[in-house]
Amino acid sequence: MSEQRGLEFGDVLRRDVGFAMRSLARRPLFTATVVLTLALGIGANTAMFSAVDTVLLRPLPVDGLDRLVTVYDDLPGINLQKAPMSPAEATDLFARTDLFEAATAFGDRGQSVTLTGFGEPRRVSVKPTMGRFFDLFSVRPHLGRLYGPEESQPGRAHVAVLGYDFWRDLTGGDPGLVGRTVDLNGSRYEVIGVLPPELRFPRGTEIWTPLEVTPRMLSPSQRTRLYMTFVGRLRPGVTPEQLADQLAAEAERWHRQHPGEYDSAHRHTLVSEPFVVTLAGQLRPVLLVLMGAVALVLLIACANVASLQLVRATGRIKELAVRTALGAARWSIVRQLLTESLLLAIAGGLLGLLFGACTIELLTRWNAVQFEALREVRLDPAVLAFTAAITLLSAVLFGLVPALRAARVDPQETLKESARGTSGGARQQRLLKASVVVQLALTLVLLLASGLTIRSLFRLLETDPGFRTEQVMTMTVGLPPSRYTDGTSRTLFFDSLLERLNAVPGIQAAGLVMGLPFGEGGDSSPFDIKGRPKQPGEPERHANIRVVSGDYFQALGIPLLRGVLLDESNAPPLRDASTPVSALIDEALAKKYFGSEDPVGRILNQGPDAVIVGVVGAVRDGELGKDAYPTVYYSQRQYNWIGTLSVAVRSTLEPETAVRLVRDAVRELDRGVPVFDVAPMRERVESSLGSRRLAMAVLTGFAALSLLLAVLGVYGVISYSVSQRTHEIGIRMALGARPADVIRMVLQTGAVLAALGAVAGTLVFLGLGRVLESLVYGVGPRDPMILGAGIALLGGVALFACYGPAQRAASIDPVEALRGE
């Protein structure tokens, strides 16, 4: 019996599919329009889900990824959130086996070292780790072996594990490299293994080494040296609430045991977040917003197709009435129409996969240096399953209402109306108009979101960073510590480099800095002001530390506002100085801590005592949307243990020429010193806007796509409305209505729909405005310019879509329209 039912079902399915295919083939324009509309919506969703899946859901092939958490220090005394922790703190958390199955900690910043012995010296990114790094991330070696926590003990031989891509680039994939040694910053490391190609964490890392954890690192005095990121896998059954309680208790225990170290500035709390959130970084809010936006695009596409289906169903009303009169069950009609919708959705889904693949290709090329995670976006079985799911959902969304509507046909009344030459009805018209209002409302939401990100980006680009970016090239020079072992040799090298650069025609100014704006390598610490003790309850004073040499301020165009610049001609090395060193402060520090008082001559202490000799302009560092952070500048001659400095060169030369000249000058001094991290200053600033540019570009693309779909939707519904009102329009024109009156009447219909869509869309956008807060700067969802421009654009496009049908309505011949009477 069950076999018989299976055969009957198969026969019914084949019959329905065959009939649906013949029906759709007889209307190729309708079929092509629906398939293309669905393909655009499904393709956009496929591409965005691929990005969300790769970056937010499954960023690494790790067992128990959902149980990995990152633990941070929060230091409210210096307004520092999500800071790394010290090796001593990480070691304490390693011992909390009641919370973590496995745990690791690694340097929060990429450690750049010089690799020699493979042709020209090259700068490579090394990640020192402690704990069970490879166990935590479920790594098995491609070649050789991996190291464990025991190799972080002092006195062990230096070992290194290479990343797969780096190993291939360095040796062409020579397995004989395992067991040999490489020279990193003058120290010998034995290569013990090569990682598999799928491990790309931390991104950009080329070599992994065990951090040598010395007794000094674990001493109380080093507990506030925060430079290690802690990641652990929670034991089964440990909830986020339990983890939070235990971390709070652990922090309190540290405070009791080491009260001298955890002073008001460093008294902190321990906080955690899912590791996938840590990995996503600034891409997370962008992708979540874009995923919501692309869902709106799919809804617009489905509403558009639903209106087309309703119009088509009206044209088939006689056919359906005849089938009903001949005994066809309502369910069979619904099933047949849903089969057609499903076939349309499948065709749209297959074409959408092609569109999605093209969109993914564009995403993977978008600022790939900054967003390396986007390089790994791909179509995989999970994405294909998602595409299949939204394809079925689309079929239901756009097919169910028209199918149920058509199935409620009264054959007797329908055939009577058909004999009089009319079909459809007021309810049908209301459904179609409601579909248009929904499309216009959702389109306006996307238009306003796009406009907000565009206006925000222009606001940011107009923001003064505090320095001039034009004609400035930057790069970094790193001295190998094995050969530059003292401050005198480092100072001599940097002085000689500046001397050579300043002698080159076309170079207007050249300077050095530790901590280039919108770069890496800066540092920060608390400070005191002599004669002005911190008051009870006052937040800890904190400032960035920047070490400079040469004409750095002239090279970047940072103005001197008061006093004098640092005089390096007689600045003694800090460790040999018997008198306070000289320091410059920036305007942000002067305003915050000195107000209207002249700070020149005052003494601050950020380690050694330093006399303030001048005030320079404040510089935004890292984000244009954030205020400049207080900064103190010291001379490289006094902080001469710094061996890696960035070079800033202002010149009238071509960028490539300026870079070549710097490389030549470095090579003349020492061929073993690499020059790396080369970029124009303007590019560094603009790259900081990468996430905002990505959001703007994709939202604008979605808004344009939704606008196109809305135009098609308005055009289709108004055209159908005009065709249904042919008799009425003929009477109006016979009674003296002019063509201009008919055009005005049709445009009024479109204007009403646009107004309803504008009101609904504005209300929805204002309700969702907070979602965009992390992506915008200097503007809000109630910005009148954005609201006005978006509504005006929507209204203009809607009226444009109505104009063609209005012209056709005005050209109706009343005699022909009334001939049937």
Side-chain angles (χ1 to χ4, degrees):
M1 181 66 69
S2 60
E3 206 174 303
Q4 178 69 25
R5 288 177 181 174
L7 290 173
E8 291 177 359
F9 176 77
D11 291 339
V12 170
L13 181 61
R14 281 192 296 272
R15 185 173 64 248
D16 284 349
V17 170
F19 183 85
M21 293 181 69
R22 291 191 297 273
S23 177
L24 294 174
R26 286 194 296 269
R27 296 168 179 82
L29 182 60
F30 165 82
T31 302
T33 302
V34 170
V35 168
L36 182 60
T37 300
L38 288 174
L40 292 173
I42 292 173
N45 275 267
T46 298
M48 288 313 308
F49 179 77
S50 299
V52 168
D53 183 52
T54 301
V55 178
L56 300 183
L57 301 181
R58 297 182 300 150
L60 289 174
V62 175
D63 296 334
L65 183 63
D66 59 323
R67 290 188 286 125
L68 293 187
V69 295
T70 309
V71 180
Y72 296 104
D73 281 356
D74 265 6
L75 291 86
I78 54 175
N79 194 29
L80 184 62
Q81 287 82 40
K82 295 176 66 173
M85 60 180 55
S86 65
E89 292 176 334
T91 301
D92 284 352
L93 288 184
F94 290 160
R96 292 299 304 266
T97 54
D98 58 320
L99 299 176
F100 304 107
E101 282 184 335
T104 187
F106 47 87
D108 69 310
R109 295 179 182 175
Q111 182 178 341
S112 179
V113 303
T114 301
L115 171 70
T116 55
F118 292 86
E120 286 286 322
R122 58 192 294 175
R123 205 69 175 177
V124 297
S125 175
V126 175
K127 186 64 66 175
T129 72
M130 55 187 296
R132 297 169 57 188
F133 180 88
F134 297 112
D135 290 342
L136 183 72
F137 293 111
S138 310
V139 181
R140 297 294 177 267
H142 176 74
L143 289 175
R145 69 176 182 88
L146 306 176
Y147 58 80
E150 68 280 356
E151 288 179 274
S152 286
Q153 296 175 3
R156 297 294 294 265
H158 291 168
V159 297
V161 174
L162 307 188
Y164 181 85
D165 291 340
F166 176 67
W167 166 67
R168 298 273 299 182
D169 178 58
L170 188 66
T171 68
D174 179 11
L177 183 62
V178 175
R180 291 166 51 190
T181 59
V182 295
D183 190 300
L184 302 177
N185 270 359
S187 298
R188 306 298 293 176
Y189 283 75
E190 180 190 356
V191 177
I192 62 171
V194 176
L195 295 179
E198 58 269 19
L199 182 72
R200 301 178 183 273
F201 175 79
R203 292 187 176 98
T205 302
E206 295 167 309
I207 300 176
W208 286 256
T209 63
L211 176 71
E212 183 179 0
V213 182
T214 63
R216 184 173 184 275
M217 286 183 183
L218 303 181
S219 66
S221 64
Q222 299 295 303
R223 293 191 71 86
T224 54
R225 293 283 310 279
L226 310 179
Y227 55 91
M228 301 297 289
T229 298
F230 179 94
V231 181
R233 181 188 297 118
L234 294 178
R235 285 197 171 278
V238 177
T239 65
E241 293 75 19
Q242 291 172 332
L243 177 63
D245 291 341
Q246 290 298 317
L247 291 178
E250 187 72 12
E252 284 300 319
R253 184 176 68 83
W254 295 348
H255 296 159
R256 290 193 304 271
Q257 290 181 347
H258 310 284
E261 302 304 324
Y262 295 103
D263 54 19
S264 58
H266 294 96
R267 190 173 180 84
H268 68 295
T269 58
L270 293 173
V271 296
S272 67
E273 69 178 9
F275 178 63
V276 291
V277 174
T278 305
L279 270 183
Q282 59 182 324
L283 276 179
R284 184 172 185 269
V286 174
L287 291 179
L288 291 178
V289 168
L290 295 181
M291 197 65 203
V294 82
L296 296 184
V297 173
L298 183 61
L299 287 176
I300 294 170
C302 289
N304 192 311
V305 173
S307 63
L308 291 174
Q309 290 278 64
L310 283 169
V311 170
R312 180 169 179 252
T314 302
R316 300 174 66 185
I317 203 77
K318 182 179 178 181
E319 170 202 336
L320 298 176
V322 170
R323 290 176 61 186
T324 303
L326 293 176
R330 292 184 186 275
W331 162 241
S332 67
I333 292 177
V334 171
R335 188 186 64 226
Q336 179 62 58
L337 294 178
L338 284 178
T339 300
E340 292 183 15
S341 297
L342 183 59
L343 288 178
L344 289 170
I346 291 173
L350 293 174
L351 185 58
L353 275 177
L354 178 60
F355 288 166
C358 295
T359 306
I360 288 172
E361 181 66 20
L362 291 176
L363 274 178
T364 56
R365 295 185 180 185
W366 179 276
N367 206 349
V369 173
Q370 183 173 3
F371 298 127
E372 291 188 26
L374 294 182
R375 291 181 180 178
E376 302 164 21
V377 176
R378 60 202 176 275
L379 285 176
D380 61 13
V383 176
L384 296 178
F386 172 82
T387 302
I390 61 172
T391 297
L392 293 175
L393 177 64
S394 301
V396 173
L397 285 176
F398 73 76
L400 188 59
V401 172
L404 293 176
R405 171 76 178 141
R408 288 197 293 268
V409 167
D410 184 333
Q412 194 171 16
E413 290 298 321
T414 299
L415 293 174
K416 286 180 181 178
E417 289 183 3
S418 178
R420 295 194 298 266
T422 61
S423 63
R427 186 175 181 185
Q428 183 93 328
Q429 293 282 346
R430 286 196 297 270
L431 283 173
L432 289 172
K433 290 178 180 178
S435 167
V436 169
V437 171
V438 169
Q439 292 178 61
L440 291 173
L442 297 180
T443 298
L444 182 61
V445 172
L446 291 174
L447 283 175
L448 294 177
S450 172
L452 204 60
T453 57
I454 292 172
R455 186 160 167 76
S456 169
L457 187 62
F458 276 105
R459 284 280 181 89
L460 283 168
L461 291 173
E462 293 169 356
T463 301
D464 180 12
F467 55 90
R468 291 159 45 210
T469 61
E470 67 278 3
Q471 296 184 318
V472 178
M473 281 300 298
T474 63
M475 58 222 76
T476 303
V477 175
L479 303 182
S482 60
R483 289 189 288 113
Y484 292 85
T485 58
D486 58 80
T488 301
S489 61
R490 287 185 283 267
T491 298
L492 179 61
F493 178 92
F494 288 128
D495 284 351
S496 300
L497 176 60
L498 290 174
E499 183 180 351
R500 279 169 165 75
L501 295 179
N502 288 323
V504 175
I507 291 183
Q508 300 166 325
L512 304 169
V513 64
M514 179 202 74
L516 191 70
F518 298 90
E520 295 183 354
D523 202 354
S524 65
S525 73
F527 69 92
D528 295 317
I529 301 174
K530 191 172 183 179
R532 185 181 294 175
K534 189 167 68 71
Q535 300 301 312
E538 179 186 350
E540 189 72 24
R541 297 161 180 165
H542 203 270
N544 288 332
I545 297 174
R546 298 293 180 263
V547 177
V548 297
S549 182
D551 298 328
Y552 169 73
F553 297 103
Q554 294 89 329
L556 260 64
I558 301 172
L560 175 67
L561 305 179
R562 191 175 301 170
V564 298
L565 294 175
L566 296 171
D567 182 5
E568 296 184 280
S569 61
N570 59 358
L574 176 63
R575 290 169 180 171
D576 300 331
S578 57
T579 58
V581 302
S582 298
L584 287 170
I585 64 172
D586 73 343
E587 189 177 15
L589 190 149
K591 285 184 176 179
K592 184 172 183 177
Y593 295 108
F594 292 96
S596 58
E597 178 187 351
D598 185 357
V600 175
R602 299 298 299 270
I603 296 177
L604 57 80
N605 183 289
Q606 206 173 16
D609 284 346
V611 178
I612 300 173
V613 298
V615 179
V616 295
V619 170
R620 296 175 190 264
D621 187 4
E623 286 190 46
L624 285 173
K626 290 186 177 180
D627 293 335
Y629 197 75
T631 301
V632 185
Y633 295 91
Y634 300 96
S635 167
Q636 186 275 331
R637 286 180 174 272
Q638 295 173 322
Y639 278 66
N640 58 15
W641 59 85
I642 308 296
T644 299
L645 294 177
S646 295
V647 183
V649 174
R650 175 175 297 280
S651 75
T652 56
L653 305 171
E654 291 295 322
E656 297 80 6
T657 303
V659 173
R660 178 177 55 80
L661 290 171
V662 174
R663 291 188 186 276
D664 289 346
V666 170
R667 192 176 292 112
E668 289 173 8
L669 292 169
D670 188 337
R671 301 187 68 86
V673 172
V675 176
F676 56 99
D677 189 25
V678 179
M681 195 67 231
R682 181 183 297 276
E683 183 179 298
R684 292 187 187 276
V685 176
E686 291 183 351
S687 68
S688 70
L689 304 175
S691 61
R692 299 176 190 270
R693 287 184 186 276
L694 178 63
M696 181 203 71
V698 180
L699 275 176
T700 301
F702 289 163
L705 177 58
S706 66
L707 199 59
L708 173 63
L709 294 175
V711 167
L712 294 176
V714 172
Y715 178 85
V717 169
I718 297 299
S719 293
Y720 172 74
S721 176
V722 167
S723 68
Q724 294 297 102
R725 299 174 67 182
T726 300
H727 183 71
E728 172 199 340
I729 293 171
I731 294 175
R732 287 176 179 270
M733 298 188 74
L735 294 176
R738 297 171 299 173
D741 297 326
V742 175
I743 290 176
R744 188 181 305 110
M745 178 187 69
V746 176
L747 292 181
Q748 280 179 343
T749 302
V752 170
L753 295 178
L756 292 173
V759 171
T762 301
L763 293 176
V764 171
F765 179 72
L766 293 177
L768 298 176
R770 289 187 177 181
V771 176
L772 294 171
E773 284 182 354
S774 63
L775 302 180
V776 298
Y777 167 79
V779 291
R782 290 180 171 79
D783 186 284
M785 181 179 293
I786 299 297
L787 291 173
I791 293 172
L793 178 60
L794 184 77
V797 167
L799 292 179
F800 172 77
C802 295
Y803 190 72
Q807 285 279 50
R808 286 198 299 276
S811 63
I812 289 175
D813 184 346
V815 175
E816 290 295 326
L818 300 176
R819 188 180 298 277
E821 296 294 311

